Amino acid sequence: MSLSDQLTAFLVRSCRDTVLLPWDEMALDELVESPLPASASQLVRLAREANSRAMGDRTDLSLTTLRADRIRELLAVRWGVGTDHLDLAARDRGFSSPESAVASARPFYLLARYNERATRSASLV
């Protein structure tokens, strides 16, 4: 078989219907059998409750109005880096950019900022 045919065969054989790669599937299998999904569910519930309480008290407050610079500062503290190294720290954790990390952290900011114990005990941050 020519090199071109070998490459074509490799690409066709490696093509899948899903975006999951074999190592992702193994990691997901491990995840399903761990206590992490329950911890994540609890963390989401606590964050929703904190956000609802805060927004009930302040009608001008919403997740979109939270200051990105404060979320960046909290992420830097949690990750043990300076804000000038947040780009690399975010990429180390699978985010494409610090902005992506901030967007992902936004729903959890109030909980993490004002109830650090809850977010630390969930072992997710």
Side-chain angles (χ1 to χ4, degrees):
M1 198 183 292
S2 72
L3 182 58
S4 176
D5 289 341
Q6 290 175 26
L7 181 57
T8 301
F10 171 79
L11 291 173
V12 169
R13 290 178 185 154
S14 65
C15 182
R16 300 179 58 128
D17 292 336
T18 65
V19 295
L20 296 175
L21 300 173
W23 49 86
D24 290 336
E25 291 171 1
M26 290 185 292
L28 288 174
D29 288 344
E30 290 294 319
L31 181 63
V32 168
E33 297 171 10
S34 80
L36 195 58
S39 293
S41 178
Q42 178 185 5
L43 187 62
V44 168
R45 183 182 53 76
L46 291 171
R48 279 189 186 147
E49 290 171 2
N51 294 339
S52 292
R53 278 194 309 274
M55 290 172 207
D57 294 340
R58 288 190 46 200
T59 57
D60 62 320
L61 183 65
S62 76
L63 292 179
T64 59
T65 61
L66 296 175
R67 289 181 42 185
D69 62 324
R70 291 196 177 157
I71 298 171
R72 289 172 63 90
E73 290 169 6
L74 182 64
L75 289 174
V77 168
R78 285 293 178 96
W79 293 342
V81 300
T83 53
D84 53 331
H85 292 102
L86 201 56
D87 184 50
L88 293 176
R91 291 177 192 277
D92 287 346
R93 287 159 179 82
F95 295 101
S96 61
S97 66
E99 292 75 22
S100 176
V102 167
S104 296
R106 192 172 287 279
F108 303 96
Y109 173 75
L110 295 174
L111 179 66
R113 175 77 171 82
Y114 299 106
N115 192 347
E116 182 177 343
R117 196 172 99 204
T119 54
R120 291 265 185 215
S121 65
S123 301
L124 296 173
V125 290

